[in-house]
């Protein structure tokens, strides 16, 4: 194979805690562990990292051999051997990894079960959720022979790290989000989509940020066809017409006469469509119309059906501009309703995402609301990206400029925040980003007449709850945070943090936990609050706010803390290595592990994560 065709494995990321658990389960005196999860979620990669350098013996089930007795163990056993003899021959094996255990033949499954019962072999067994498995395999955990670790798909922030590594450079947040949605945590599909985009030259640099962005159709790769085969095999004309209508205009309202309900029931029973409430809930303020909608069940289904339709069919089925505007207005109203009711949990809003994906100009009003919703959720880079989408067609839009400035300031991007800040709230956070909390609070006082409770709440986030006293809704979660901070009550701060997290305010929750960590007198309680704060902050796309400053060091090992502190002070890897008498490679490895724990993308983020929030002065030449 030519060298150019070789592909290096993606970095291992996002499973550090699970990796530690698996490794501990495989130490001497432990029986092993079963790892389950959806297809493509990274079970094999996790297991490979866990057994690296251990001399583990590896077997795997396959679809082609599940009817052949002991097929998975054929390389380890004589040609003809009884189950009893196979157990004897393998009982001396120290560590055995069984991949795709749900595909084992019954005799191989029984062999694994016997080895677990005997307990002399440590077992690492991997199986896919939802797939039929031999009873002897499922009884490994249902019968409590082995503990079970159920993996969930990687969260968006960890997918983002993988994508940046695979792309060879930064990707625009909306592109990352789109790829994550399409793959639904299937890392194999994620990798194939990214490879196809590279091959097509579909990743183009953004003139604003230099990040690579993807607009346009989804590449219909072999993996995409495989995962949508059931959809494309539909031969009933009425069923295909219904699916195609949704592909070009989902979500569609569901009055009784709009569809043949028997067809919808059939498609729903097969898992091809979903019927749910329109965004916002039953009490949402939305344009008049039905409260229910029908949509395709998987984000890949729409792109594949659109790609399969001819030009004439696509023209007939595409949503008319007025219908699209109405649907976008509904999404905007649903987002505004959630913001007004202090509930910013994830909300499906596919119309705006579709417009951006297709490269259609986004109305700045929707872009600003979408940016604000993301910012309140703590998805700061994504908030900035939505604001930029609105500014492309309306460069002077005040609301979009404000959201861009706020998102940039709260990630420490002073340059972008300075260029966009043109109101008091943005100026306050720009001052905070520069380390001047006195100026930040003065800017907030200058906007004291603002009726927006979130604007009043900013003083709480900046550590001055007295500035917000009596100006927040008394029975709300924001007021509870303010009261707890004003009283210096760490338990109440932790409670407020949990309430904030439950409502989707991940960044606010991280800040409340960080404030609790400083207020706790008991070291154990402080450590717990700090750990929760750091875990939430890692999900907030590089957030750097005064409340979060300095908390991250508690997440690191002693050596990582030492190296990160020196790196934050501006020392190079070589200088750190010389000072600590380590190799440069060792320093780099410690920094890479620290980045993963801190949620930092690079060295520039370290000063904000390990100091009191004041930016360090440049070192003399």
């Amino acid at each position: 194979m030519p060298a150019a065709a070789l592909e290096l494995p993606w970095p291992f990321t996002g499973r550090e805690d699970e990796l530690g658990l698996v490794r501990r389960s495989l130490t001497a005196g432990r029986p092993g562990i079963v790892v389950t999860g959806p297809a493509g979620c990274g079970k094999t990669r996790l297991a490979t990292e866990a057994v690296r350098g251990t001399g583990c013996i590896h077997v795997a089930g396959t679809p082609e051999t599940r009817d052949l007795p002991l097929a998975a163990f054929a390389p380890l056993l004589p040609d003809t051997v009884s189950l009893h003899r196979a157990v004897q021959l393998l009982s001396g094996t120290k560590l055995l990894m069984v991949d795709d255990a749900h595909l084992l033949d019954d005799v191989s499954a029984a062999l694994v079960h016997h080895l677990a019962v005997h307990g002399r072999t440590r077992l690492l067994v991997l199986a896919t959720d939802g797939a039929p498995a031999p009873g002897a395999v499922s009884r490994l955990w249902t019968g409590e022979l082995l503990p079970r670790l159920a993996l969930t798909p990687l969260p968006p922030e960890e997918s983002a790290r993988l994508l940046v590594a695979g792309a060879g450079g930064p990707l625009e947040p909306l592109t990352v989000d789109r790829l994550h949605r399409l793959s639904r945590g299937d890392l194999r599909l994620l990798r194939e989509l990214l490879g196809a985009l590279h091959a097509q030259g579909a990743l183009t640099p953004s003139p604003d940020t230099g990040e690579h962005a993807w607009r346009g159709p989804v590449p219909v790769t072999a993996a995409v066809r495989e995962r949508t085969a059931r959809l494309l095999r539909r031969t009933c004309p009425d069923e295909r017409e219904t699916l195609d209508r949704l592909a070009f205009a989902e979500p569609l309202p569901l009055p009784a006469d709009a569809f043949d309900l028997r067809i919808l029931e059939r498609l729903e029973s097969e898992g091809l469509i979903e019927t749910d409430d329109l965004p916002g809930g039953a009490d949402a303020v939305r344009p008049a119309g039905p409260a229910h909608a029908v949509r395709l069940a998987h984000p890949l289904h729409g792109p594949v059906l659109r790609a399969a339709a001819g030009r004439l069919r696509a023209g007939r089925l595409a949503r008319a501009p007025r219908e699209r505007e109405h649907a976008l207005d509904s999404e905007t109203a649903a987002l505004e309703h959630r913001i007004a009711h202090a509930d910013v949990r994830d909300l499906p809003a596919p119309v705006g995402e579709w417009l951006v994906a297709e490269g259609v100009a986004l109305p700045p009003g929707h872009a600003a609301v979408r940016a604000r919703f993301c910012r309140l959720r703590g998805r700061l880079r994504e908030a900035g990206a939505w604001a930029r989408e609105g500014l492309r067609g309306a460069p002077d839009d005040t609301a979009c400029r404000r959201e861009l400035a706020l998102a940039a300031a709260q990630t420490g991007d002073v340059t972008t925040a300075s260029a966009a800040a043109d109101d008091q709230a943005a100026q306050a956070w720009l001052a905070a980003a520069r380390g001047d909390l006195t100026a930040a609070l003065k800017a907030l006082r200058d906007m004291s007449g603002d009726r927006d409770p979130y604007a009043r709440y900013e003083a709480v986030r900046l550590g001055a709850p007295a500035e917000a006293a009596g100006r927040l809704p008394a029975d709300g979660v924001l007021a509870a945070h303010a009261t707890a901070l004003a009283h210096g009550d760490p338990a109440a701060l932790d409670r407020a943090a949990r309430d904030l997290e439950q409502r989707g305010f991940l960044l606010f929750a991280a800040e409340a936990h960080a404030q609790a960590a400083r207020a706790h007198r008991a070291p154990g309680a402080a450590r717990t609050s700090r750990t929760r704060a750091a875990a939430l902050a890692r999900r907030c796309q590089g957030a750097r706010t005064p409340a979060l400053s300095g908390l991250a060091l508690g997440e690191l090992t002693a050596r990582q803390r030492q190296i990160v502190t020196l790196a934050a002070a501006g020392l190079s890897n070589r200088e750190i290595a010389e000072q600590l008498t380590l190799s440069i490679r060792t320093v780099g490895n410690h920094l890479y592990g620290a980045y993963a724990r801190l949620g930092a993308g690079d060295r520039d983020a370290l000063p904000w994560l390990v100091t009191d929030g004041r930016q360090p002065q440049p070192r003399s030449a």
Side-chain angles (χ1 to χ4, degrees):
M1 179 182 291
L6 293 174
E7 289 189 9
L8 295 175
W10 283 16
F12 179 82
T13 184
R15 303 283 193 199
E16 286 78 12
D17 292 339
E18 292 91 338
L19 179 61
L21 174 62
V22 173
R23 283 178 171 167
R24 290 192 297 273
S25 300
L26 300 178
T27 55
R30 302 285 182 90
I33 193 170
V34 177
V35 180
T36 63
C41 73
K43 298 184 293 295
T44 301
R45 183 63 191 276
L46 171 65
T48 301
E49 290 293 324
V51 301
R52 190 181 298 280
T54 63
C56 173
I57 293 176
H58 182 188
V59 300
T62 63
E64 297 79 10
T65 60
R66 64 184 312 167
D67 294 327
L68 301 177
L70 293 176
F73 291 89
L76 307 177
L77 298 171
D79 289 342
T80 58
V81 63
S82 68
L83 175 60
H84 177 70
R85 180 60 179 153
V87 173
Q88 290 180 324
L89 291 171
L90 292 177
S91 61
T93 302
K94 300 279 195 215
L95 179 58
L96 177 66
M97 174 176 160
V98 185
D99 202 352
D100 286 330
H102 57 287
L103 297 176
L104 290 176
D105 62 90
D106 288 339
V107 182
S108 293
L111 172 56
V112 174
H113 191 274
H114 280 297
L115 291 172
V117 171
H118 283 214
R120 290 192 288 270
T121 299
R122 294 190 295 280
L123 294 169
L124 175 52
V125 181
L126 315 179
T128 296
D129 281 340
V137 170
S138 59
R139 283 195 296 274
L140 290 173
W141 64 88
T142 60
E144 299 185 355
L145 285 171
L146 296 177
R148 178 191 181 192
L149 169 62
L151 287 186
T152 56
L154 277 183
E157 54 273 11
E158 300 301 344
S159 294
R161 290 199 185 113
L162 282 177
L163 285 166
V164 168
L171 289 178
E172 179 238 15
L174 300 187
T175 296
V176 171
D177 184 59
R178 186 183 181 191
L179 285 165
H180 180 78
R181 282 198 319 273
L182 289 170
S183 63
R184 282 195 169 177
D186 186 330
L187 302 184
R188 288 175 293 189
L189 177 58
L190 190 70
R191 184 168 187 166
E192 181 161 327
L193 285 172
L194 185 61
L197 295 177
H198 265 305
Q200 295 175 3
L203 292 170
T204 57
S206 164
D208 298 324
T209 64
E211 298 170 325
H212 283 73
W214 165 39
R215 300 291 185 267
V218 173
V220 184
T221 66
V224 170
R225 288 194 186 93
E226 176 187 340
R227 285 158 178 78
T228 56
R230 259 188 337 125
L231 186 79
L232 296 176
R233 283 198 298 262
R234 310 304 298 189
T235 57
C236 172
D238 290 337
E239 290 182 1
R240 188 59 181 263
E241 175 74 10
T242 298
L243 291 169
D244 281 349
R245 283 184 63 193
L246 288 170
F248 282 91
E250 66 175 330
L252 283 174
L254 192 60
D257 57 352
F259 293 100
D260 185 325
L261 291 180
R262 290 173 299 176
I263 291 176
L264 290 180
E265 289 168 1
R266 201 154 57 237
L267 294 174
E268 186 179 36
S269 69
E270 295 183 32
L272 294 177
I273 65 169
E274 295 175 349
T275 305
D276 53 25
D277 291 338
L278 284 172
D283 58 344
V285 178
R286 59 165 69 90
H292 302 286
V294 60
R295 68 184 79 248
L296 296 168
H298 196 289
L300 275 180
H301 290 174
V304 169
L305 288 168
R306 292 195 294 273
R311 181 176 296 178
L312 294 176
R313 187 173 181 80
R316 176 173 67 82
L317 293 171
R319 194 196 299 260
R322 182 65 197 117
E323 292 174 333
R324 189 175 65 196
E325 291 170 11
H326 178 82
L328 196 63
D329 288 345
S330 295
E331 285 189 356
T332 306
L335 293 167
E336 290 174 328
H337 174 82
R338 285 286 196 91
I339 292 170
H341 287 76
D343 179 1
V344 293
R345 290 170 295 173
D346 193 24
L347 179 69
V351 180
E353 292 162 0
W354 184 6
L355 291 176
V356 170
E358 295 297 321
V360 178
L362 197 67
H366 178 82
V369 172
R370 189 65 177 264
R372 190 182 192 202
F373 190 80
C374 289
R375 177 172 59 82
L376 293 175
R377 284 173 52 77
R379 302 191 62 78
L380 298 179
R381 294 185 65 243
E382 195 174 321
W386 281 106
R388 287 189 176 94
E389 286 297 320
L391 291 171
R392 294 194 203 291
D396 297 324
D397 184 79
T398 302
C400 285
R401 287 178 60 83
R402 178 179 186 272
E403 290 302 327
L404 177 59
L406 288 171
Q410 291 174 36
T411 57
D413 183 355
V414 173
T415 301
T416 299
S418 299
D422 53 12
D423 73 351
Q424 291 300 117
Q427 291 292 341
W429 275 103
L430 178 58
R434 289 171 170 155
D436 190 347
L437 293 185
T438 301
L441 291 171
K442 181 181 183 302
L444 291 180
R445 291 188 201 103
D446 290 343
M447 55 181 289
S448 59
D450 197 318
R451 296 185 179 185
D452 179 5
Y454 294 105
R456 303 169 187 171
Y457 176 67
E458 303 289 37
V460 182
R461 300 180 60 202
L462 294 174
E467 302 281 343
R471 300 177 60 230
L472 292 169
D475 57 349
V477 65
L478 305 183
H481 182 189
T483 301
L485 184 61
H487 293 164
D489 185 338
L493 280 166
D494 281 328
R495 285 196 300 274
R498 288 192 291 271
D499 289 344
L500 287 163
E501 181 183 1
Q502 187 176 20
R503 289 176 169 267
F505 298 105
L506 299 190
L507 177 54
F508 300 169
E511 292 170 336
H513 274 311
Q515 291 163 340
R518 299 185 181 100
H520 277 296
R521 294 184 178 180
R527 186 164 51 250
T528 298
S529 296
R530 185 170 56 247
T531 300
R532 289 172 177 165
L536 288 168
R538 286 199 295 272
R539 299 167 61 187
C540 293
Q541 300 183 335
R544 305 179 201 174
T545 66
L548 297 180
S549 60
L551 70 87
L553 282 180
E555 288 281 286
L556 306 180
T557 66
R559 179 63 87 183
Q560 284 175 333
R561 284 197 296 274
Q562 189 179 29
I563 290 173
V564 163
T565 301
L566 293 173
L571 274 67
S572 68
N573 285 15
R574 180 178 295 279
E575 291 169 328
I576 296 171
E578 291 173 353
Q579 183 166 326
L580 300 181
T581 320
L582 299 171
S583 71
I584 297 176
R585 182 188 181 95
T586 298
V587 171
N589 287 340
H590 278 302
L591 280 174
Y592 181 82
Y595 292 155
R597 285 231 170 236
L598 298 175
D602 53 36
R603 211 181 194 90
D604 293 339
L606 294 180
W608 281 90
L609 290 167
V610 304
T611 68
D612 62 1
R614 294 186 295 271
Q615 295 194 69
Q617 297 298 315
R619 293 189 301 149
S620 301

